[in-house]
Amino acid sequence: MPLNYAGLWTVPLAKLAPDLKAPVHGRDKYAPEDIDYALSFRPEPGLLKSLPNLKVVFSLGAGVDGFLTDPTYPRNVPLVRFVDHGLSREMTQYVVMHALMFHRQQRYFDHAQTERKWRQTFPPRPTEDTRIGILGLGEIGTMAGAYLRDLDFQVAGWSRTRKNVAGIESFAGTGELHAFLARSDILVCLLPLTPDTRNILNRETFAALPKGAFVINAARGGHLVEDDLIAAIDSGHLAGAALDVFQTEPLPESSPLWAHPKIAVTPHVAGMSDPWAATRWVLDAMARHARGEKLANIVDMALGY
Ligand code: NAP
């Protein structure tokens, strides 16, 4: 069922905080100076700057690129992002599912089924010899990595700073990116979209992966140069990809990604914030803020995540 975004949040807000005045921009009338807190995901550029008394902005999603790509975002106002076990779990399910679909050749068997063909084959390589590389070993990347590690894959993560996670090899910084890519049979992108990571999934990156590698992008469409991916798959260097996010969303009907036989497309649904959990989180954080307590998960404006 298509989603009505404003309705998703107004129902839990009305139930959980019936006395709170929470106008919906574009639907309700409000005075900009009356707004203390803003809840959003991709606000229209300039909107937050127009609210002179804003104390905190809450991102209803884990990624905050929808705020920081607005050059007028008021950088003195703390931006807090949604970090939630349920959201990380949904994202992990998406990543594990596509890693296994590739590893177990499920698309090949789906196709054989359409032809009523009994085509038995072994997986391309044993699980213990299959190396998964996760770009971004943060909240979501660490959880996804732990599940894949527990399935006996060889898991490594790449992050800005060195990590110490049991059974997951840590690569850090641009100096170690190439070595990380060279050992990744399945590459998973779970990075935030920042000026440093935009277009990171490009021709050079794909060329550094082993032949036959598979790419999963569940982070942001801005990470991927889509034409470079198609070229790397069509040349036979990459085996395929699973994409949940795109340079332009909704993905235009004319995009060649829709019909590519080696690419799985989903409409940005890998991890959707649960409106009830997010509303509880916002109300709790507002109460903490009103008591003068420090908020968790404040975005570092210099890093952009
Ligand atoms: P997070 O906790 O902030 O983790 C980000 C990770 O990326 C950290 O490990 C960080 O390294 C690393 N990183 C950032 N910039 C880097 C750089 N320049 N070089 C190397 N590593 C870098 O984020 P998260 O909560 O896991 O979420 C990740 C992303 O998933 C979000 O930003 C969002 O875009 C995406 N997402 C998508 C969906 C969906 O439905 N498709 C849903 C939820 C989230 P350090 O740890 O060293 O700082």
Side-chain angles (χ1 to χ4, degrees):
M1 200 194 306
L3 298 172
N4 166 352
Y5 290 103
L8 275 180
W9 309 102
T10 49
V11 172
L13 266 175
K15 284 257 192 258
L16 296 172
D19 298 331
L20 187 73
K21 276 197 208 138
V24 174
H25 177 72
R27 189 193 73 179
D28 304 327
K29 278 210 160 127
Y30 65 91
E33 59 276 14
D34 288 349
I35 303 298
D36 296 313
Y37 300 99
L39 289 57
S40 192
F41 183 53
R42 287 178 175 162
E44 65 186 49
L47 172 61
L48 296 173
K49 187 182 162 40
S50 74
L51 308 173
N53 296 320
L54 205 51
K55 296 187 175 79
V56 180
V57 175
F58 294 100
S59 168
L60 296 170
V64 293
D65 46 289
F67 297 86
L68 299 184
T69 45
D70 174 1
T72 70
Y73 180 86
R75 288 176 168 257
N76 56 321
V77 179
L79 171 61
V80 187
R81 69 188 196 97
F82 187 45
V83 173
D84 178 60
H85 175 83
L87 178 60
S88 299
R89 182 198 58 213
E90 302 305 304
M91 289 289 286
T92 292
Q93 288 178 0
Y94 174 91
V95 169
V96 172
M97 175 178 75
H98 282 288
L100 291 178
M101 294 257 291
F102 169 64
H103 181 63
R104 303 294 304 249
Q105 306 178 101
Q106 187 56 43
R107 284 170 78 85
Y108 171 82
F109 294 120
D110 285 345
H111 183 69
Q113 185 180 352
T114 64
E115 297 184 340
R116 297 175 174 255
K117 295 287 188 213
W118 187 265
R119 291 193 185 120
Q120 289 181 316
T121 60
F122 284 108
R125 53 180 93 70
T127 303
E128 294 85 349
D129 297 341
T130 302
R131 302 160 298 175
I132 300 183
I134 302 180
L135 290 162
L137 211 50
E139 295 288 339
I140 299 168
T142 304
M143 186 190 278
Y147 275 91
L148 292 164
R149 172 204 63 201
D150 292 348
L151 287 169
D152 290 341
F153 290 103
Q154 287 182 35
V155 181
W158 182 72
S159 43
R160 210 174 38 79
T161 56
R162 181 88 51 214
K163 305 292 175 198
N164 187 5
V165 184
I168 298 182
E169 193 178 355
S170 169
F171 291 78
T174 40
E176 296 182 11
L177 179 59
H178 197 279
F180 164 82
L181 295 171
R183 51 75 62 214
S184 295
D185 300 308
I186 299 176
L187 181 70
V188 181
C189 181
L190 289 170
L191 287 164
L193 184 62
T194 69
D196 287 341
T197 66
R198 186 173 288 279
N199 294 334
I200 192 168
L201 300 175
N202 60 36
R203 197 153 56 108
E204 287 81 37
T205 302
F206 300 142
L209 293 171
K211 187 170 163 51
F214 187 79
V215 172
I216 300 174
N217 187 18
R220 284 290 180 263
H223 289 123
L224 173 67
V225 183
E226 293 170 356
D227 288 347
D228 287 2
L229 176 75
I230 292 173
I233 294 174
D234 289 349
S235 74
H237 182 63
L238 294 185
L243 308 177
D244 185 55
V245 286
F246 304 91
Q247 290 277 358
T248 303
E249 295 183 7
L251 182 63
E253 228 181 301
S254 59
S255 170
L257 296 169
W258 281 116
H260 198 291
K262 294 183 175 171
I263 298 177
V265 167
T266 46
H268 201 147
V269 291
M272 296 170 83
S273 301
D274 171 50
W276 288 86
T279 303
R280 283 193 192 91
W281 162 71
V282 167
L283 293 173
D284 180 60
M286 278 168 47
R288 282 170 193 271
H289 184 260
R291 292 196 297 268
E293 293 173 25
K294 195 174 179 311
L295 297 180
N297 302 311
I298 294 181
V299 170
D300 181 326
M301 291 290 161
L303 292 174
Y305 67 96

